[in-house]
Amino acid sequence: MQYVNAFWVGGLICVIAQILIDKTGLTPAKILVLYVVAGTVLGALGIYEKLVGFAGAGATVPLIGFGNVLAQGVIKAVDESGPIGIITGGLRAAAGGVSAAVFFGFLMALIFDPKSK
């Protein structure tokens, strides 16, 4: 059942983004920012953790999950380090994912022949 919940929650997140693209004047970049901010706010309020418990990867893999990671990292760092954690917490929490994205993007650029449009 966990796979089914991950599938429909992740799909719903993507459908909402597609509806925003189709029905509003929002660009994909603005929706990206909206999703990261929404994930951060929901994570800071403790609401997103309930969704992660229910949907697993369906909630953590989409972009909105990145905002949640930032919020949780800041909360943890502030508890451990005080106010300096506001600056360092999000960076520390997201460093692994960002590093992996850069590494695998570079690897794909070496394997394939990327071209500008």
Side-chain angles (χ1 to χ4, degrees):
M1 193 62 185
Q2 184 73 24
Y3 293 121
V4 173
N5 290 338
F7 177 79
W8 76 262
V9 169
L12 182 64
I13 292 169
C14 294
V15 164
I16 292 169
Q18 189 63 50
I19 290 170
L20 289 171
I21 290 171
D22 292 344
K23 301 294 182 187
T24 69
L26 294 175
T27 63
K30 290 179 182 177
I31 294 170
L32 178 143
V33 171
L34 177 70
Y35 267 33
V36 171
V37 170
T40 304
V41 171
L42 292 174
L45 296 174
I47 297 169
Y48 205 75
E49 286 303 313
K50 293 180 177 104
L51 184 63
V52 169
F54 175 74
T60 59
V61 172
L63 191 57
I64 196 167
F66 180 70
N68 179 51
V69 167
L70 293 175
Q72 296 308 314
V74 169
I75 291 169
K76 181 179 177 187
V78 168
D79 289 342
E80 293 173 356
S81 307
I84 193 72
I86 295 170
I87 298 168
T88 62
L91 297 174
R92 191 176 308 143
V98 171
S99 298
V102 169
F103 172 75
F104 287 113
F106 177 72
L107 186 62
M108 292 300 111
L110 291 176
I111 294 172
F112 299 102
D113 187 22
K115 294 180 178 73
S116 297
K117 289 186 176 182

